[in-house]
Structures are given as C-alpha cells and as structure tokens.
Amino acid sequence: NLLKSSTASSSLHFWVQAWIPRRDAISSRHTLLPCVFVSVQGMSKERMMEIRRQNCNPMTMKITYYKKPVFIHQGHMQWLWDVDGKRYLDLFAGVATVSLGHSHPKVTEAAQKQLKRLWHTTNIYVHPTLHEYCEKLASYSPDPLKVVYLTNSGSEANDLAMLMARLYTGNFDIITFRGSYHGGTQQTMGLTSNSPYKYPIATSSGCTHTMCPDVFRGPWGGSHCRDSPVQTIRECSCAQGHCMASGQYIGHLKETFATSVPSQIAAFFAEPIQGMGGAVQYPKNYLKEAYKLVRERGGICIADEVQTGFGRTGSHFWGFQGHDVIPDMVTMAKGIGNGFPMGAVVTTPDIAASFAKASHFNTFGGSPVACAVASSVLDTIKEDGTQQNNLHVGTYLMTELAKLRHKYEIIGDVRGKGLQIGVEMVKDKASREPLPPEAMSEIFEDIKDMGVLIGKGGVYGQTFRIQPPMCITKDDVDFFLSVLNKVVHSYMDRK
C-alpha cells in the first residue's frame, strides 16, 4: 500500500523486508532467508514497451513471453518480482541458466570480491582465477576429458566444438537429432533442427539431422523405454528393463549413415536430454550404441551439456553419465555461471592439440570475474547439496505431475530427470496430436497470472518446460501443482 500510494520523486527508494522459508535439501529443517524488495519509482511500463518497440531489434518483441509481458525488476533464489512488487515462483530460471538461485549470496560475494580486485584481463596473460577454475572444472570430468577452453556462451562453445571436431578428424559431416537446438550463430544454426530458429539463408553445411529417438511421439517406444521416474503411457511389448525401441531407432541411424553422409564423419552432437526440443529422453542404451557407430566411422561424440550439466539431472553431475557413456568432447554454458555469461569446451589432450594449427583468441572467455563466479558455483553445488535436492525434489515433482496426467486428457506425457522436466500437452491421448498454439498460450498465460513462470518448447511448441533454479523445495512444488491443476481444470471447463 505504501508503494502504491506514494507520490514521491523518482529518485526515492522504498524497501520491504520479507523472510522466505527454505527447506534444507537433505533434512526437514527449515531456515529463513532474508530478502529485501526495493521498489524504484522510475520508467513506466508503457515507456519501457515503447523503447522495446522503437530502439530494440524487432526480434526482441517477437520473443517476448506472454500477451501481457512480465516486467522483471528483482530476483532472490527461486523468486522473481516485477516492477509492481508482484512475486513469481520462477520455474524456468532464464532457460535453465540461474542454476543455484537468483542473486545467490555465495556467488554474489565471490563476484564482488573479484570485482574489487580485477575486472578484466585476457588469457594472453596468466592470471590465477583462470587456472584455478580450469583445474577445478577438469576435476569434475572423467578421464580423458581434462582440457578446458572457456567461452562466453553455449552457442560459442558449440561453434568451437564443430571446428575442433573437423580439425581433429579431417572429416566434415556432423550428425544431430531432429528437434535439437545447439545455438544461434550462423555455424550452429546448421546443427539446430527446429524450424522457428532457422533463417532462409545458407548456414553451416555438412550438418545432417537424423530421427530423434522420442519414445512418446516417435514411431517406437513405450512404458519400459526411458530412464525416468515417470514412463510414457504408451503400451510397450518390451520386457522389464529391456527396450526394443532402442534397436529400432538405431536401425534408423544406420540408415542415415547409409544414405545421407559420407563413409567418414566428423562428429555426432546430442544433448543427454533435449532441452528446446521439449525435455525429450531417448530409450535406454541408445546413446551407447550410437557412440559406437559414430566412432566406427571416424567421428567423435559430443555431449551438449548446456542445459543438463552441473547436477541438474539429479542422479549424476553430467547428463551423459546417466547414459553410461564418455563423450570425446563436452560443451557447457548456462548454469555454469548461475546467469553470468560463460561457456566452456572440455575435451581430450589429443583433440585439443588439433586446435593449435592456427591461432584463436577470445577476448572475454575466461575473464577473472567469470572464473571467480563459476568457481563459486562449483563450490556451492557441493556445499548446498544441490544435486541431491534436484534428485529428491525433481522426482517428487514428476511423480505428482504423473497424477495430473492421469486426471486430464490433454496432459499427454511427463518426462525428465531431476529438475529438467517436460509436460507434453495433446488434443487427446489416443492421437497424441499436439495441443494447438492458441490453447498452449491460454494455459501458459493463466499459469503466469497465478504467480508461476515456466517455459515452452517442442517442435510444435506443445511442451511446457520446467527447469527452475536448483534450490526449489517441495513446498514450491506443491504450490505449482495447485496452480497447474487449477489452470488446466478451468481450461477444460471452458472448452
């Protein structure tokens, strides 16, 4: 009321202190985290939108979420506030980027300390934070993945991985899945296989897209096929623990080798769980067999961990570990810096050596501040029990979402691991036809209006994506489930 009634000048700041309950990841103990919301009486929402239309690239308007946009002003852990002081539970984390929580105290402190010491120098000089972080990051990777090159984003990392794969193998062709998203540079647009992100221009040649082994929407798959707390409701003739669909999808990959690429290839890109594609999971043992086929044809195997890395899947620190494989190269970004712009390519000494055939320079890659932040992220994941929280809270969320799937005809599939979750919406379970965009938008908007922010994905935009800061609690989950139940119920009543 104070904020709404105030007629104070635009320079005056108001604050409200609240105590947010947070449940410990391992025990039932609750602690209270202090949070101060500061309201600044400044630029109006109308003026911001006017500038967005006139001075920001039109693409900014095109990708703006919601018919009534959210005007974000402040964040704390799993919460965001708009300029009017309305609080939202953030279950999308800037596309799985704010890994530990908005303005996490430990990470913020690390950034502040480094900013007071040294903002920037490049890797042409030897500075402690770069080397301390590279050694620490390498210690989280299995042998022989021990050589690190730091970038500023996932697109940069994947672009660089394409180059290194081609230099090392002497081959050119790269295979990715349909529905994949690996970046927005002109090179990585060739890797990406998702129509809304494709322009009618020449992008990187030599990229071939093979069928995504999706056991819900694809031609094969059923109730015993994926490594997830929740299985698809499709009937399956597979014996418990044995997935026949994997072999059928591998057969399609072999057909791709036989018809669409040369006998020798450079690389195979795969996210352990497709992110932008809608949290798509592959059948058990698929990646293990695919890696074998790729290596037989001279290619290297690249795991895109931009969304799945840093403990997000709960069961493992890296998503590829859940498939019982070791790639030849790993790309990462997003959660690596809890929202600070950073990315990395981690590979073997032999592959890294091929990169030295010419000179490559990245002005901001591995800056002192980025390395200090990223180092704090690794420490905090361990100290806060973040990976364990992902496993316990994520499993609880998926099993509860499965109950809503049984309740509502338009919830077709629930899938994922840890806190990378997809809820695929359909017209009906029998046809599995995607819920139309206008219906998705209606439900999406209602969820936002009730105080929860989630994402969307899938080839047809038919999947709600849940990839929150990894500090959320079961209480947060219960709130979201109540919201989703209410919104879907209201939608079904209206229809």
Side-chain angles (χ1 to χ4, degrees):
N1 288 335
L2 171 65
L3 300 180
K4 289 179 180 178
S5 63
S6 173
T7 57
S9 69
S10 61
S11 62
L12 191 61
H13 290 59
F14 295 98
W15 63 269
V16 178
Q17 180 161 317
W19 292 92
I20 300 176
R22 180 189 177 195
R23 193 170 80 154
D24 186 88
I26 307 302
S27 69
S28 60
R29 177 176 56 87
H30 284 71
T31 57
L32 290 175
L33 298 176
C35 174
V36 176
F37 173 76
V38 180
S39 175
V40 181
Q41 303 296 311
M43 187 180 293
S44 69
K45 289 185 282 188
E46 292 75 17
R47 179 62 180 143
M48 282 190 275
M49 290 305 295
E50 182 182 358
I51 293 170
R52 197 170 180 90
R53 292 186 186 96
Q54 293 182 358
N55 301 118
C56 297
N57 189 286
M59 182 55 68
T60 311
M61 281 301 301
K62 185 174 182 178
I63 62 170
T64 300
Y65 263 16
Y66 305 113
K67 295 175 183 177
K68 296 179 180 178
V70 179
F71 294 80
I72 296 299
H73 168 61
Q74 184 174 330
H76 181 78
M77 302 305 283
Q78 65 268 50
W79 303 101
L80 288 170
W81 284 262
D82 68 14
V83 293
D84 297 319
K86 179 176 179 178
R87 188 178 75 169
Y88 296 89
L89 175 62
D90 182 11
L91 295 186
F92 200 36
V95 194
T97 301
V98 183
S99 48
L100 297 176
H102 295 281
S103 304
H104 191 291
K106 294 177 183 177
V107 182
T108 300
E109 182 182 6
Q112 289 171 336
K113 283 184 178 179
Q114 186 58 48
L115 282 167
K116 291 176 182 178
R117 185 180 303 117
L118 178 67
W119 277 40
H120 174 72
T121 187
T122 74
N123 56 16
I124 64 175
Y125 303 116
V126 182
H127 57 93
T129 51
L130 172 71
H131 302 84
E132 290 166 1
Y133 180 66
C134 286
E135 182 182 44
K136 187 180 291 187
L137 181 61
S139 73
Y140 280 80
S141 303
D143 288 328
L145 298 167
K146 296 297 178 184
V147 183
V148 178
Y149 193 91
L150 298 175
T151 67
N152 303 289
S153 70
S155 291
E156 252 186 44
N158 283 333
D159 195 301
L160 191 58
M162 294 173 72
L163 172 63
M164 293 173 70
R166 286 166 169 164
L167 287 172
Y168 176 70
T169 63
N171 303 324
F172 188 69
D173 287 72
I174 299 174
I175 295 176
T176 62
F177 288 136
R178 294 174 196 161
S180 64
Y181 180 88
H182 295 287
T185 66
Q186 194 166 2
Q187 275 276 101
T188 55
M189 263 191 273
L191 286 179
T192 293
S193 174
N194 205 310
S195 158
Y197 304 99
K198 307 287 276 188
Y199 286 92
I201 60 170
T203 55
S204 175
S205 60
C207 294
T208 297
H209 306 118
T210 193
M211 180 184 288
C212 178
D214 181 350
V215 300
F216 175 72
R217 184 156 295 285
W220 307 290
S223 56
H224 299 303
C225 290
R226 63 191 181 202
D227 176 23
S228 174
V230 177
Q231 296 290 338
T232 176
I233 58 174
R234 291 175 69 179
E235 291 186 7
C236 185
S237 59
C238 303
Q240 185 74 36
H242 298 279
C243 179
M244 293 170 59
S246 179
Q248 290 165 309
Y249 284 111
I250 286 293
H252 189 275
L253 178 60
K254 289 179 179 178
E255 187 175 318
T256 301
F257 283 124
T259 61
S260 305
V261 294
S263 59
Q264 296 288 291
I265 66 170
F268 168 67
F269 267 82
E271 301 167 88
I273 298 174
Q274 266 197 0
M276 204 76 80
V280 176
Q281 290 181 283
Y282 322 129
K284 297 169 187 173
N285 298 317
Y286 176 89
L287 277 190
K288 186 179 287 189
E289 185 62 25
Y291 274 26
K292 179 183 176 183
L293 294 174
V294 169
R295 286 166 174 156
E296 286 173 355
R297 288 157 179 80
I300 66 169
C301 301
I302 301 173
D304 181 337
E305 293 273 0
V306 170
Q307 296 194 34
T308 51
F310 300 92
R312 179 160 288 278
T313 63
S315 59
H316 299 87
F317 195 81
W318 302 113
F320 67 78
Q321 292 170 317
H323 295 273
D324 193 25
V325 296
I326 297 180
D328 304 294
M329 191 182 297
V330 182
T331 60
M332 57 195 76
K334 292 189 182 289
I336 192 174
N338 196 47
F340 195 94
M342 193 174 186
V345 180
V346 181
T347 189
T348 68
D350 287 345
I351 295 174
S354 66
F355 194 37
K357 292 178 180 178
S359 294
H360 183 277
F361 179 65
N362 189 314
T363 302
F364 295 104
S367 76
V369 177
C371 289
V373 166
S375 183
S376 176
V377 167
L378 288 177
D379 292 343
T380 304
I381 288 172
K382 186 175 181 179
E383 292 165 6
D384 287 6
T386 302
Q387 185 177 325
Q388 293 84 352
N389 188 65
N390 296 346
L391 179 62
H392 298 145
V393 176
T395 300
Y396 173 70
L397 173 53
M398 272 182 278
T399 53
E400 292 300 307
L401 283 169
K403 296 176 184 177
L404 294 182
R405 178 187 61 181
H406 292 306
K407 183 177 180 179
Y408 295 111
E409 182 67 12
I410 63 170
I411 299 180
D413 195 31
V414 173
R415 55 181 177 257
K417 288 184 71 176
L419 289 175
Q420 178 148 353
I421 299 169
V423 180
E424 184 157 348
M425 308 298 286
V426 295
K427 287 183 178 178
D428 59 83
K429 290 184 171 72
S431 70
R432 301 198 304 279
E433 287 187 36
L435 195 67
E438 58 274 14
M440 289 292 294
S441 295
E442 190 175 326
I443 295 171
F444 194 57
E445 197 88 16
D446 287 348
I447 291 171
K448 177 262 296 183
D449 288 343
M450 291 191 70
V452 180
L453 304 179
I454 58 175
K456 284 193 292 186
V459 173
Y460 307 102
Q462 80 282 17
T463 303
F464 291 129
R465 297 168 61 196
I466 303 162
Q467 298 168 276
M470 301 186 297
C471 57
I472 68 162
T473 68
K474 285 188 175 181
D475 290 339
D476 301 325
V477 166
D478 289 336
F479 172 56
F480 166 61
L481 291 167
S482 297
V483 167
L484 183 62
N485 180 59
K486 171 66 175 174
V487 168
V488 174
H489 188 276
S490 297
Y491 171 83
M492 298 294 285
D493 278 352
R494 290 195 299 273
K495 300 305 175 183

